[in-house]
Amino acid sequence: MTALQEPTALQFECETGNYHTFCPISCVAWLYQKIEDSFFLVIGTKTCGYFLQNAMGVMIFAEPRYAMAELEEGDISAQLNDYEELKRLCLQIKRDRNPSVIVWIGTCTTEIIKMDLEGLAPKLESEIGIPIVTARANGLDYAFTQGEDTVLAAMAHKCPQSVKAEEEKEERNAIHKLLNFGRKKEDIKQEESEYVDHPPLVLFGSLPDPVVTNLTLELKKQGVKISGWLPSKRYTELPVIDEGYFVSGVNPFLSRTATTLMRRRKCKLIGAPFPIGPDGTRAWIEKICSVFGIQPQGLEEREAKIWESLEDYLQLIRGKSVFFMGDNLLEVSLARFLIRCGMTCHEIGIPYMDKRYQQAELAFLEKTCQEMGVPIPKIVEKPDNYNQIQRIYELKPDLVITGMAHANPLEARGINTKWSVEFTFAQIHGFTNARDILELATRPLRRNNNLKELGWEKLVREEANV
Amino acid sequence: MKLAYWMYAGPAHIGTLRIASSFKNVHAIMHAPLGDDYFNVMRSMLERERDFTPVTASIVDRNVLARGSQEKVVDNIVRKDGEENPDLIVLTPTCTSSILQEDLANFVDRAQMDAKGDVMLADVNHYRYNELQAADRTLHQIVKFYLEKAQKKGELPQRKTEKPSVNIIGISTLGFHNQHDCTELKRLMADLGIEVNEVIPEGASVHNLKNLPKAWFNLVPYRELGLATAGYLEEQFGMSYVDITPMGVVETARCIRKIQQLINAQGAEVDYEEFIKEQTLYVSQAAWFSRSIDCQNLTGKKAVVFGDNTHAAAITKILAREMGIHVVLAGTYCKYDADWFREQVSEYCDEVLISDDNAAIGDAIARLEPSAIFGTQMERHVGKRLDIPCGVIASPIHIQNFPIGYKPFCGYEGTNQITDLIYNSFTLGMEDHLLEIFGGHDTKEVITKGISADSDLNWNKEAQAELNKVPGFVRGKVKRNTEKFARERGFSVITLEVMYAAKEAVGA
């Protein structure tokens, strides 16, 4: 391979952190939909509320189970009692919505005025009888998808432990006997036999239900049983997590959750590439299988089949270049997949790089570059959007994956862009959804191909192009 | 603390950013945490802006929290000054920086020493002002800054323009149909033989601000933005201003007559009566529309109006005075300027509502059951839930309300656009009813008098069957009235008896 002439190891850089991304409180938008019996209370200012209502667009009208506890001047100057104020609002929420859990999202403001949410929560919890989970998803510390990470890390503490084996057996048996006259036991045994005997595995990361089912089945084919997901569809169904359980992340931005599961819940983390793209999905499954000593079956064929079905899209992007400005932490996995698709990548901007949690993904990226014979991209942590735009002007990439603040201005300058946030909301995990990623990535190219003949590429006057 | 799902006016810094990014070659630097630069997304998305929004953030992160911003803000200002050579950099505080209480004024002074352009700190307190108030204040601040600067340098123009001229104050980015209104107002001024001296802030250069006093008078089309500036110019330079929004036929005429009076007082000899008559009777279609039989059908129909001061007041007057529509409620979310609103609309509507609580407005609409709503995007969604058509007349708005086609609300073309908007809202409502009368499907859930409350009443089989026989277009009303009746009298189940009793109670 020619890779020897190119940098053989990944290069990491860190810029100024002047980049555009969503505030991490945006995680409430997808988490309240995922956890059906939850209510998310964002304790912050008008600024937070304004962001949420604009970023979530129409979703806000479908009777959302989230709201702002909007801080007023009296709250800031501590003329009002935080506890009493929160109690009043939480009781109102209990009365109107009766959720199974209230998630408090701490913001920059609660951070600066040092509102002790973690301290207030247990007291209030016992007083109003609803569990309260506290997550500090603020813009001082985190970017966009990391919001989910803070919520899931907080929820990891709330996952039940299994009841002592004997008690449980009796209890369950009693119920089984009552309901099924003992018949069910055999069914369970039979079902169990489809799985290999391995220690319990819990996956973490919020995914739409169809994707959950999909990945569950994918692992079932290999005889791997998923004992639970963090988060589950309902808060009341959070999975049992005991010491010694194995856990694996499905998204690259979940490093705090991973740390919490390892350190606090004494779980063993399976560090694997993330199941994004057919290559990633296969590597993810293989890694899990290898940990449990399973020889994976039929994966190679499965992957090949998927690639075959993508051929029409691959033709569009093969040999083209892509530039990630960075805002949602999916960048490394997406870049690795697109490089495998035949693209080249100069720069992967990313808000935050946890080299330990993403270790396997990074190694996979490196390997992919070598196998495809393309230079290894530079990974730019905390990028500087202004500098990046200068680099984009120089490099003239065929596709820039960027936030909405830059998309229209870049398009007006003849540069194809794809709005990065869509990758967060689209279904991109597993074998089946590989097509969706390419559907998104190729859309600007397909659209602009259609317009090619018109000569309407640069739509700003030259002097405006500073 | 306040439990809130939705807000009508944004936070203060949005107002400042709207002003800063409306000017040409002015850059705003927000002192804000990561993610607060959402303004850029809105401008890029809603206005489909081709250029990069001239707003960057000087990020407040953990380190800033621990040690203060120190050199960071100053460096960011100086860096931006070097990169883009803006005429002015506006340092914009946010809610976060308000509580940090850093000496931003000091940063500005220091940055000014190294920056070639001007540097200024926006004087807005996040906890005291909303988006609209902040915008008004920032515009005033910038105008004052440049006029004082020109005064010091002796660069102020000494004379008025030869011909009558006007400054149009208050056109800004992300304003409701502002671009179209601006074009329409310029046309109107041209028709009146008045030169447009300056339009601020949209598209203006700060270097031209010193020319403001050359105009004969100022026109402030919107109540929310520009009055502070106009007041300042009046005080300092004796410039009178017109603050009558030329929206609707009658108000446009009133605005023009006021202009006539102001410029005649300064030696012009104009008479616009003939122009007003010609426009009203033959050019604008609105006056003819109100005479036509279409509009006759709207007589006495009930409408609810809600929005910002400018638009809600203007639309209320148009509905009541120009179309004979019964405005049952007019409301505004501009609580800080509520007296003005009351004074403007109280003779044109039954009830005035001053609130920025969306649930209160939603409940009022559910209670009043108007045939049409004229409000913001929020009211449009309330209307959707209650099956009442809604025309959007004010911010907050989304991308559909930034049309590419020419759709002013001001001036004579504006009267045509508004007529279409109003008429289409009502006809759609009627078509809907007709559909239902002639065997339309009806599986809609019925709501109670408050849209957020759940119905706690049970209908027994017979009563339900009877209810289903009621024609669709009044069924909701019958159900609501019956439930209200039952609730007031403490019935928990609605039977045929209760239903008839309710009917009689209403009839009596």
Side-chain angles (χ1 to χ4, degrees):
Chain A
M1 286 270 153
T2 53
L4 282 177
Q5 293 132 25
E6 305 290 346
T8 46
L10 287 167
Q11 281 178 295
F12 295 92
E13 270 182 33
C14 187
E15 278 191 303
T16 62
N18 277 321
Y19 64 102
H20 164 76
T21 183
F22 273 10
C23 175
I25 60 173
S26 51
C27 68
V28 306
W30 64 88
L31 287 176
Y32 93 79
Q33 291 183 7
K34 173 71 195 177
I35 309 170
E36 289 170 358
D37 52 354
S38 62
F39 191 98
F40 284 78
L41 184 67
V42 182
I43 304 163
T45 59
K46 251 186 188 317
T47 307
C48 314
Y50 197 66
F51 163 69
L52 274 183
Q53 91 180 28
N54 284 300
M56 299 315 134
V58 202
M59 276 198 273
I60 199 157
F61 304 108
E63 292 270 330
R65 289 185 321 282
Y66 69 79
M68 290 292 308
E70 196 184 312
L71 300 168
E72 290 163 301
E73 205 163 13
D75 298 302
I76 304 300
S77 52
Q79 283 162 341
L80 297 167
N81 181 315
D82 297 339
Y83 183 77
E84 290 304 320
E85 291 295 298
L86 283 169
K87 184 175 153 193
R88 185 170 55 82
L89 300 193
C90 287
L91 283 173
Q92 193 179 333
I93 291 164
K94 184 184 177 184
R95 196 186 59 221
D96 293 349
R97 307 295 177 91
N98 196 28
S100 311
V101 61
I102 297 178
V103 183
W104 284 353
I105 302 288
T107 61
C108 304
T109 312
T110 57
E111 218 44 44
I112 295 170
I113 63 173
K114 299 197 165 42
M115 194 184 276
D116 181 21
L117 297 177
E118 279 93 346
L120 297 173
K123 257 200 283 178
L124 193 58
E125 188 173 78
S126 59
E127 202 175 333
I128 66 171
I130 295 181
I132 295 172
V133 172
T134 312
R136 302 179 175 201
N138 62 67
L140 295 168
D141 300 305
Y142 304 109
F144 196 14
T145 47
Q146 288 180 292
E148 174 180 322
D149 193 23
T150 64
V151 173
L152 296 189
M155 285 209 172
H157 289 285
K158 300 271 183 175
C159 288
Q161 285 183 313
S162 62
V163 201
K164 284 255 164 59
E166 278 173 37
E167 281 172 42
E168 189 199 33
K169 247 182 207 163
E170 224 165 79
E171 206 177 300
R172 282 208 179 159
N173 280 348
I175 295 169
H176 279 160
K177 268 178 211 155
L178 257 176
L179 293 176
N180 304 316
F181 309 100
R183 229 180 293 153
K184 181 89 182 220
K185 213 173 178 182
E186 284 154 32
D187 296 345
I188 290 174
K189 239 184 210 160
Q190 202 182 1
E191 202 179 296
E192 291 291 332
S193 68
E194 292 174 30
Y195 295 106
V196 178
D197 188 30
H198 64 79
L201 170 68
V202 171
L203 299 185
F204 56 95
S206 162
L207 293 178
D209 293 332
V211 184
V212 168
T213 316
N214 194 279
L215 291 181
T216 309
L217 287 175
E218 233 34 275
L219 284 177
K220 190 179 172 186
K221 279 186 199 155
Q222 306 300 334
V224 176
K225 185 183 180 183
I226 300 176
S227 308
W229 279 81
L230 174 68
S232 41
K233 253 171 97 78
R234 304 177 67 83
Y235 178 76
T236 47
E237 293 162 4
L238 278 183
V240 169
I241 298 180
D242 281 342
E243 192 171 334
Y245 274 27
F246 281 81
V247 291
S248 182
V250 296
N251 266 323
F253 44 76
L254 297 171
S255 52
R256 276 176 70 92
T257 311
T259 313
T260 310
L261 288 168
M262 286 191 290
R263 296 209 182 132
R264 299 303 179 98
R265 304 306 300 253
K266 311 282 182 228
C267 296
K268 291 175 193 151
L269 178 72
I270 302 177
F274 301 98
I276 293 169
D279 49 339
T281 309
R282 177 177 164 195
W284 181 70
I285 297 172
E286 279 177 346
K287 183 66 193 281
I288 292 174
C289 287
S290 79
V291 169
F292 294 142
I294 299 167
Q295 184 63 43
Q297 301 296 320
L299 274 185
E300 206 178 330
E301 297 77 21
R302 185 85 212 270
E303 192 196 348
K305 256 229 159 90
I306 298 288
W307 283 116
E308 215 173 282
S309 71
L310 298 177
E311 187 51 34
D312 51 339
Y313 279 146
L314 296 181
Q315 281 175 5
L316 286 169
I317 54 172
R318 219 169 259 144
K320 299 240 161 70
S321 60
V322 59
F323 188 108
F324 285 86
M325 286 187 77
D327 76 341
N328 59 12
L329 284 94
L330 294 171
E331 291 86 2
V332 173
S333 310
L334 288 173
R336 177 260 301 151
F337 168 58
L338 290 178
I339 290 170
R340 176 66 70 184
C341 290
M343 293 188 92
T344 57
C345 179
H346 273 287
E347 174 165 337
I348 304 177
I350 187 166
Y352 168 72
M353 184 73 240
D354 185 333
K355 288 184 203 161
R356 274 171 52 193
Y357 176 65
Q358 293 222 40
Q359 197 177 27
E361 183 64 86
L362 287 170
F364 196 32
L365 169 69
E366 228 169 326
K367 188 173 151 235
T368 304
C369 290
Q370 279 156 7
E371 286 176 6
M372 299 301 291
V374 297
I376 293 176
K378 191 169 66 177
I379 294 181
V380 181
E381 208 180 343
K382 287 177 179 293
D384 184 293
N385 281 166
Y386 182 86
N387 296 343
Q388 284 186 314
I389 285 166
Q390 309 311 311
R391 294 198 286 271
I392 287 170
Y393 289 156
E394 264 169 51
L395 295 166
K396 299 193 172 52
D398 296 304
L399 179 66
V400 175
I401 296 183
T402 177
M404 200 43 115
H406 299 112
N408 266 339
L410 286 173
E411 287 284 350
R413 285 157 181 77
I415 294 162
N416 301 323
T417 61
K418 182 72 227 142
W419 188 26
S420 56
V421 174
E422 283 188 70
F423 291 103
T424 323
F425 293 118
Q427 305 190 351
I428 61 169
H429 293 74
F431 285 122
T432 347
N433 290 321
R435 210 175 160 80
D436 290 47
I437 310 178
L438 288 184
E439 161 69 28
L440 288 178
T442 58
R443 193 178 296 160
L445 304 172
R446 283 179 285 135
R447 194 268 314 264
N448 293 344
N449 273 347
N450 293 343
L451 304 182
K452 219 174 196 168
E453 305 300 307
L454 299 169
W456 292 348
E457 271 168 27
K458 291 208 174 158
L459 293 156
V460 281
R461 292 179 212 287
E462 278 308 313
E463 66 267 21
N465 199 344
V466 183
Chain B
M1 276 181 216
K2 206 168 83 181
L3 193 66
Y5 295 89
W6 176 266
M7 65 190 68
Y8 282 97
H13 71 267
I14 297 288
T16 298
L17 298 181
R18 275 177 56 187
I19 298 301
S21 54
S22 294
F23 278 108
K24 252 192 308 200
N25 213 21
V26 170
H27 200 100
I29 294 187
M30 302 166 68
H31 188 236
L34 198 64
D36 272 5
D37 56 354
Y38 191 70
F39 178 80
N40 297 32
V41 176
M42 290 179 58
R43 191 155 177 275
S44 175
M45 279 299 291
L46 298 177
E47 296 242 359
R48 290 179 205 89
E49 187 49 62
R50 300 177 198 215
D51 282 317
F52 292 99
T53 300
V55 174
T56 42
S58 174
I59 302 282
V60 175
D61 57 14
R62 242 336 122 176
N63 291 328
V64 170
L65 223 54
R67 301 179 298 133
S69 293
Q70 299 189 340
E71 300 305 313
K72 199 170 181 181
V73 177
V74 178
D75 288 349
N76 276 323
I77 295 175
V78 175
R79 176 185 160 188
K80 199 42 77 180
D81 183 70
E83 281 168 359
E84 314 222 340
N85 301 312
D87 298 323
L88 168 68
I89 292 179
V90 181
L91 181 60
T92 310
T94 58
C95 58
T96 310
S97 60
S98 289
I99 6 176
L100 285 178
Q101 298 189 321
E102 285 198 89
D103 191 358
L104 296 181
N106 174 23
F107 294 156
V108 164
D109 290 343
R110 278 166 50 205
Q112 183 65 83
M113 289 191 279
D114 293 325
K116 280 194 249 64
D118 297 310
V119 188
M120 167 191 289
L121 172 66
D123 176 23
V124 285
N125 179 326
H126 177 89
Y127 292 92
R128 304 266 162 88
Y129 304 115
N130 68 15
E131 169 188 350
L132 303 171
Q133 293 164 291
D136 196 33
R137 289 176 70 90
T138 304
L139 182 60
H140 171 215
Q141 197 187 347
I142 294 176
V143 167
K144 187 170 167 219
F145 180 87
Y146 280 98
L147 284 174
E148 282 175 357
K149 193 174 167 185
Q151 206 154 25
K152 258 185 228 150
K153 287 191 181 170
E155 286 176 350
L156 279 184
Q158 296 306 310
R159 299 231 306 265
K160 298 278 175 198
T161 54
E162 217 161 290
K163 282 193 189 152
S165 61
V166 61
N167 299 317
I168 300 175
I169 302 179
I171 307 292
S172 86
T173 188
L174 291 173
F176 183 74
H177 291 240
N178 271 205
Q179 305 288 0
H180 308 303
D181 280 350
C182 183
T183 309
E184 184 64 19
L185 289 174
K186 282 183 186 165
R187 275 189 198 169
L188 181 63
M189 292 305 128
D191 287 348
L192 297 175
I194 297 172
E195 284 172 6
V196 176
N197 185 48
E198 293 289 336
V199 176
I200 60 168
E202 184 63 46
S205 156
V206 289
H207 297 310
N208 293 350
L209 290 176
K210 62 172 184 290
N211 295 330
L212 284 171
K214 270 166 51 182
W216 289 31
F217 74 103
N218 293 316
L219 174 62
V220 185
Y222 309 117
R223 174 78 192 169
E224 291 76 20
L225 177 54
L227 276 182
T229 308
Y232 165 78
L233 291 171
E234 183 174 48
E235 199 181 289
Q236 292 294 316
F237 303 96
M239 298 177 75
S240 19
Y241 61 89
V242 179
D243 61 352
I244 300 166
T245 305
M247 206 176 284
V249 179
V250 179
E251 290 298 291
T252 303
R254 207 158 73 83
C255 177
I256 295 172
R257 289 195 181 103
K258 177 78 182 180
I259 292 173
Q260 173 180 313
Q261 183 201 331
L262 287 187
I263 59 175
N264 281 348
Q266 295 173 60
E269 283 169 20
V270 293
D271 180 1
Y272 293 139
E273 284 308 322
E274 202 45 45
F275 172 79
I276 294 173
K277 194 176 165 196
E278 171 76 12
Q279 290 287 327
T280 305
L281 297 184
Y282 311 113
V283 178
S284 160
Q285 298 295 318
W288 158 235
F289 173 81
S290 25
R291 186 74 206 193
S292 73
I293 47 168
D294 278 343
C295 190
Q296 219 177 74
N297 287 339
L298 300 182
T299 309
K301 285 231 173 291
K302 289 201 289 183
V304 164
V305 182
F306 192 83
D308 60 7
N309 268 356
T310 305
H311 293 88
I315 298 293
T316 302
K317 290 180 200 168
I318 293 170
L319 289 169
R321 191 163 56 186
E322 298 178 18
M323 293 183 169
I325 289 163
H326 181 186
V327 179
V328 281
L329 178 134
T332 177
Y333 55 81
C334 298
K335 280 160 85 175
Y336 62 94
D337 196 16
D339 293 340
W340 180 85
F341 186 76
R342 267 201 202 89
E343 182 212 312
Q344 292 291 308
V345 301
S346 39
E347 62 175 304
Y348 300 109
C349 63
D350 299 350
E351 196 182 329
V352 175
L353 176 70
I354 311 287
S355 173
D356 54 6
D357 175 10
N358 177 247
I361 294 118
D363 286 349
I365 293 172
R367 170 170 57 83
L368 293 164
E369 292 176 350
S371 312
I373 310 167
F374 298 95
T376 70
Q377 277 296 336
M378 282 309 298
E379 283 67 46
R380 192 173 71 83
H381 284 273
V382 170
K384 255 193 196 163
R385 275 203 256 165
L386 298 174
D387 251 343
I388 301 171
C390 178
V392 175
I393 55 144
S395 297
I397 41 182
H398 62 53
I399 195 148
Q400 290 174 339
N401 306 105
F402 288 89
I404 296 172
Y406 186 53
K407 291 206 159 54
F409 269 58
C410 283
Y412 286 108
E413 178 55 27
T415 63
N416 294 338
Q417 297 293 335
I418 294 173
T419 304
D420 279 344
L421 178 76
I422 293 174
Y423 185 60
N424 290 345
S425 303
F426 279 106
T427 16
L428 286 178
M430 304 243 289
E431 279 166 14
D432 210 37
H433 289 338
L434 287 173
L435 263 177
E436 296 218 348
I437 290 173
F438 298 109
H441 39 83
D442 188 300
T443 50
K444 288 174 192 91
E445 279 180 29
V446 177
I447 38 82
T448 50
K449 285 288 180 190
I451 55 164
S452 56
D454 277 329
S455 172
D456 50 353
L457 288 163
N458 291 320
W459 289 65
N460 75 5
K461 239 189 211 158
E462 291 83 350
Q464 187 63 52
E466 188 65 20
L467 181 68
N468 289 342
K469 287 183 206 156
V470 175
F473 70 103
V474 287
R475 193 178 301 149
K477 207 171 209 169
V478 169
K479 180 156 188 190
R480 281 190 285 273
N481 284 335
T482 312
E483 289 186 347
K484 188 177 166 218
F485 173 86
R487 203 169 286 119
E488 278 165 10
R489 285 168 181 69
F491 296 114
S492 60
V493 177
I494 293 170
T495 58
L496 274 180
E497 281 82 351
V498 176
M499 215 176 149
Y500 288 123
K503 195 177 171 193
E504 281 154 27
V506 173

